[in-house]
PDB file of all heavy atoms in Angstrom:
ATOM      1  N   ASN P 245     153.450 112.655  66.756  1.00  0.00           N
ATOM      2  CA  ASN P 245     152.095 112.590  67.303  1.00  0.00           C
ATOM      3  C   ASN P 245     151.801 111.282  68.031  1.00  0.00           C
ATOM      4  O   ASN P 245     150.643 110.899  68.188  1.00  0.00           O
ATOM      5  CB  ASN P 245     151.053 112.823  66.199  1.00  0.00           C
ATOM      6  CG  ASN P 245     151.114 111.779  65.097  1.00  0.00           C
ATOM      7  OD1 ASN P 245     152.120 111.079  64.943  1.00  0.00           O
ATOM      8  ND2 ASN P 245     150.053 111.670  64.316  1.00  0.00           N
ATOM      9  N   ILE P 246     152.821 110.587  68.490  1.00  0.00           N
ATOM     10  CA  ILE P 246     152.608 109.416  69.340  1.00  0.00           C
ATOM     11  C   ILE P 246     152.189 109.901  70.730  1.00  0.00           C
ATOM     12  O   ILE P 246     152.856 110.755  71.317  1.00  0.00           O
ATOM     13  CB  ILE P 246     153.887 108.559  69.447  1.00  0.00           C
ATOM     14  CG1 ILE P 246     154.232 107.939  68.093  1.00  0.00           C
ATOM     15  CG2 ILE P 246     153.720 107.469  70.496  1.00  0.00           C
ATOM     16  CD1 ILE P 246     155.515 107.131  68.102  1.00  0.00           C
ATOM     17  N   PRO P 247     151.105 109.394  71.281  1.00  0.00           N
ATOM     18  CA  PRO P 247     150.670 109.841  72.621  1.00  0.00           C
ATOM     19  C   PRO P 247     151.706 109.515  73.694  1.00  0.00           C
ATOM     20  O   PRO P 247     152.239 108.400  73.745  1.00  0.00           O
ATOM     21  CB  PRO P 247     149.372 109.042  72.848  1.00  0.00           C
ATOM     22  CG  PRO P 247     148.890 108.689  71.477  1.00  0.00           C
ATOM     23  CD  PRO P 247     150.144 108.458  70.667  1.00  0.00           C
ATOM     24  N   LEU P 248     151.994 110.485  74.536  1.00  0.00           N
ATOM     25  CA  LEU P 248     152.874 110.293  75.696  1.00  0.00           C
ATOM     26  C   LEU P 248     152.087 110.683  76.934  1.00  0.00           C
ATOM     27  O   LEU P 248     151.694 111.843  77.082  1.00  0.00           O
ATOM     28  CB  LEU P 248     154.138 111.147  75.572  1.00  0.00           C
ATOM     29  CG  LEU P 248     155.072 110.842  74.384  1.00  0.00           C
ATOM     30  CD1 LEU P 248     156.289 111.751  74.422  1.00  0.00           C
ATOM     31  CD2 LEU P 248     155.491 109.373  74.369  1.00  0.00           C
ATOM     32  N   ARG P 249     151.888 109.708  77.815  1.00  0.00           N
ATOM     33  CA  ARG P 249     151.054 109.925  78.996  1.00  0.00           C
ATOM     34  C   ARG P 249     151.876 109.921  80.275  1.00  0.00           C
ATOM     35  O   ARG P 249     153.090 109.802  80.263  1.00  0.00           O
ATOM     36  CB  ARG P 249     149.940 108.860  79.049  1.00  0.00           C
ATOM     37  CG  ARG P 249     149.073 108.806  77.799  1.00  0.00           C
ATOM     38  CD  ARG P 249     148.484 110.158  77.467  1.00  0.00           C
ATOM     39  NE  ARG P 249     147.607 110.122  76.300  1.00  0.00           N
ATOM     40  CZ  ARG P 249     147.218 111.182  75.619  1.00  0.00           C
ATOM     41  NH1 ARG P 249     147.645 112.387  75.979  1.00  0.00           N
ATOM     42  NH2 ARG P 249     146.420 111.065  74.572  1.00  0.00           N
ATOM     43  N   LYS P 250     151.185 110.035  81.396  1.00  0.00           N
ATOM     44  CA  LYS P 250     151.808 110.187  82.715  1.00  0.00           C
ATOM     45  C   LYS P 250     152.826 109.094  83.006  1.00  0.00           C
ATOM     46  O   LYS P 250     153.930 109.374  83.493  1.00  0.00           O
ATOM     47  CB  LYS P 250     150.709 110.181  83.788  1.00  0.00           C
ATOM     48  CG  LYS P 250     151.221 110.337  85.204  1.00  0.00           C
ATOM     49  CD  LYS P 250     150.056 110.314  86.192  1.00  0.00           C
ATOM     50  CE  LYS P 250     150.540 110.429  87.621  1.00  0.00           C
ATOM     51  NZ  LYS P 250     149.400 110.365  88.581  1.00  0.00           N
ATOM     52  N   HIS P 251     152.492 107.846  82.675  1.00  0.00           N
ATOM     53  CA  HIS P 251     153.380 106.718  82.972  1.00  0.00           C
ATOM     54  C   HIS P 251     154.722 106.877  82.260  1.00  0.00           C
ATOM     55  O   HIS P 251     155.777 106.549  82.823  1.00  0.00           O
ATOM     56  CB  HIS P 251     152.696 105.409  82.542  1.00  0.00           C
ATOM     57  CG  HIS P 251     153.510 104.180  82.818  1.00  0.00           C
ATOM     58  ND1 HIS P 251     153.802 103.752  84.089  1.00  0.00           N
ATOM     59  CD2 HIS P 251     154.105 103.286  81.968  1.00  0.00           C
ATOM     60  CE1 HIS P 251     154.531 102.647  84.032  1.00  0.00           C
ATOM     61  NE2 HIS P 251     154.730 102.354  82.761  1.00  0.00           N
ATOM     62  N   PHE P 252     154.704 107.386  81.036  1.00  0.00           N
ATOM     63  CA  PHE P 252     155.945 107.601  80.287  1.00  0.00           C
ATOM     64  C   PHE P 252     156.843 108.580  81.022  1.00  0.00           C
ATOM     65  O   PHE P 252     158.035 108.318  81.232  1.00  0.00           O
ATOM     66  CB  PHE P 252     155.614 108.118  78.884  1.00  0.00           C
ATOM     67  CG  PHE P 252     156.816 108.546  78.093  1.00  0.00           C
ATOM     68  CD1 PHE P 252     157.542 107.631  77.352  1.00  0.00           C
ATOM     69  CD2 PHE P 252     157.241 109.881  78.095  1.00  0.00           C
ATOM     70  CE1 PHE P 252     158.667 108.024  76.621  1.00  0.00           C
ATOM     71  CE2 PHE P 252     158.352 110.279  77.371  1.00  0.00           C
ATOM     72  CZ  PHE P 252     159.070 109.346  76.637  1.00  0.00           C
ATOM     73  N   PHE P 253     156.300 109.700  81.432  1.00  0.00           N
ATOM     74  CA  PHE P 253     157.116 110.738  82.068  1.00  0.00           C
ATOM     75  C   PHE P 253     157.608 110.296  83.445  1.00  0.00           C
ATOM     76  O   PHE P 253     158.716 110.659  83.861  1.00  0.00           O
ATOM     77  CB  PHE P 253     156.328 112.034  82.156  1.00  0.00           C
ATOM     78  CG  PHE P 253     155.996 112.614  80.811  1.00  0.00           C
ATOM     79  CD1 PHE P 253     154.704 112.578  80.319  1.00  0.00           C
ATOM     80  CD2 PHE P 253     156.998 113.161  80.018  1.00  0.00           C
ATOM     81  CE1 PHE P 253     154.404 113.087  79.067  1.00  0.00           C
ATOM     82  CE2 PHE P 253     156.713 113.666  78.757  1.00  0.00           C
ATOM     83  CZ  PHE P 253     155.408 113.627  78.278  1.00  0.00           C
ATOM     84  N   GLU P 254     156.805 109.507  84.146  1.00  0.00           N
ATOM     85  CA  GLU P 254     157.235 109.002  85.455  1.00  0.00           C
ATOM     86  C   GLU P 254     158.427 108.080  85.335  1.00  0.00           C
ATOM     87  O   GLU P 254     159.201 107.925  86.294  1.00  0.00           O
ATOM     88  CB  GLU P 254     156.077 108.272  86.127  1.00  0.00           C
ATOM     89  CG  GLU P 254     154.963 109.187  86.603  1.00  0.00           C
ATOM     90  CD  GLU P 254     153.791 108.430  87.192  1.00  0.00           C
ATOM     91  OE1 GLU P 254     153.654 107.223  86.897  1.00  0.00           O
ATOM     92  OE2 GLU P 254     153.012 109.041  87.948  1.00  0.00           O
ATOM     93  N   ASN P 255     158.587 107.447  84.171  1.00  0.00           N
ATOM     94  CA  ASN P 255     159.666 106.484  83.991  1.00  0.00           C
ATOM     95  C   ASN P 255     160.825 107.010  83.162  1.00  0.00           C
ATOM     96  O   ASN P 255     161.685 106.240  82.728  1.00  0.00           O
ATOM     97  CB  ASN P 255     159.103 105.207  83.361  1.00  0.00           C
ATOM     98  CG  ASN P 255     158.298 104.393  84.341  1.00  0.00           C
ATOM     99  OD1 ASN P 255     158.840 103.586  85.094  1.00  0.00           O
ATOM    100  ND2 ASN P 255     156.984 104.621  84.358  1.00  0.00           N
ATOM    101  N   CYS P 256     160.818 108.313  82.919  1.00  0.00           N
ATOM    102  CA  CYS P 256     161.940 108.967  82.235  1.00  0.00           C
ATOM    103  C   CYS P 256     162.441 110.100  83.127  1.00  0.00           C
ATOM    104  O   CYS P 256     162.224 111.287  82.831  1.00  0.00           O
ATOM    105  CB  CYS P 256     161.500 109.483  80.869  1.00  0.00           C
ATOM    106  SG  CYS P 256     161.002 108.181  79.728  1.00  0.00           S
ATOM    107  N   PRO P 257     163.101 109.753  84.223  1.00  0.00           N
ATOM    108  CA  PRO P 257     163.438 110.743  85.263  1.00  0.00           C
ATOM    109  C   PRO P 257     164.423 111.824  84.833  1.00  0.00           C
ATOM    110  O   PRO P 257     164.471 112.888  85.451  1.00  0.00           O
ATOM    111  CB  PRO P 257     164.029 109.879  86.387  1.00  0.00           C
ATOM    112  CG  PRO P 257     164.542 108.651  85.692  1.00  0.00           C
ATOM    113  CD  PRO P 257     163.571 108.399  84.580  1.00  0.00           C
ATOM    114  N   LYS P 258     165.194 111.569  83.778  1.00  0.00           N
ATOM    115  CA  LYS P 258     166.185 112.556  83.345  1.00  0.00           C
ATOM    116  C   LYS P 258     165.630 113.563  82.344  1.00  0.00           C
ATOM    117  O   LYS P 258     166.295 114.552  82.022  1.00  0.00           O
ATOM    118  CB  LYS P 258     167.389 111.846  82.722  1.00  0.00           C
ATOM    119  CG  LYS P 258     168.147 110.941  83.692  1.00  0.00           C
ATOM    120  CD  LYS P 258     169.357 110.303  83.010  1.00  0.00           C
ATOM    121  CE  LYS P 258     170.111 109.389  83.977  1.00  0.00           C
ATOM    122  NZ  LYS P 258     171.283 108.758  83.309  1.00  0.00           N
ATOM    123  N   LEU P 259     164.422 113.319  81.868  1.00  0.00           N
ATOM    124  CA  LEU P 259     163.862 114.137  80.792  1.00  0.00           C
ATOM    125  C   LEU P 259     163.625 115.575  81.246  1.00  0.00           C
ATOM    126  O   LEU P 259     162.975 115.822  82.258  1.00  0.00           O
ATOM    127  CB  LEU P 259     162.535 113.528  80.310  1.00  0.00           C
ATOM    128  CG  LEU P 259     161.871 114.197  79.111  1.00  0.00           C
ATOM    129  CD1 LEU P 259     162.797 114.210  77.905  1.00  0.00           C
ATOM    130  CD2 LEU P 259     160.564 113.486  78.772  1.00  0.00           C
ATOM    131  N   ARG P 260     164.156 116.516  80.470  1.00  0.00           N
ATOM    132  CA  ARG P 260     164.016 117.938  80.809  1.00  0.00           C
ATOM    133  C   ARG P 260     163.360 118.751  79.702  1.00  0.00           C
ATOM    134  O   ARG P 260     162.870 119.847  79.933  1.00  0.00           O
ATOM    135  CB  ARG P 260     165.403 118.521  81.116  1.00  0.00           C
ATOM    136  CG  ARG P 260     166.081 117.914  82.344  1.00  0.00           C
ATOM    137  CD  ARG P 260     167.525 118.376  82.466  1.00  0.00           C
ATOM    138  NE  ARG P 260     167.633 119.828  82.462  1.00  0.00           N
ATOM    139  CZ  ARG P 260     168.751 120.497  82.191  1.00  0.00           C
ATOM    140  NH1 ARG P 260     169.855 119.825  81.880  1.00  0.00           N
ATOM    141  NH2 ARG P 260     168.759 121.810  82.210  1.00  0.00           N
ATOM    142  N   MET P 261     163.392 118.216  78.467  1.00  0.00           N
ATOM    143  CA  MET P 261     162.828 118.971  77.347  1.00  0.00           C
ATOM    144  C   MET P 261     162.207 118.012  76.344  1.00  0.00           C
ATOM    145  O   MET P 261     162.796 116.985  75.990  1.00  0.00           O
ATOM    146  CB  MET P 261     163.922 119.796  76.675  1.00  0.00           C
ATOM    147  CG  MET P 261     163.419 120.834  75.678  1.00  0.00           C
ATOM    148  SD  MET P 261     163.325 120.225  73.988  1.00  0.00           S
ATOM    149  CE  MET P 261     162.901 121.730  73.108  1.00  0.00           C
TER     150      MET P 261
END
Side-chain angles (χ1 to χ4, degrees):
N245 61 341
I246 294 177
L248 297 181
R249 304 306 182 196
K250 180 180 178 182
H251 181 66
F252 172 86
F253 295 108
E254 289 177 340
N255 286 275
C256 296
K258 297 182 180 179
L259 185 58
R260 296 171 54 199
M261 192 268 186

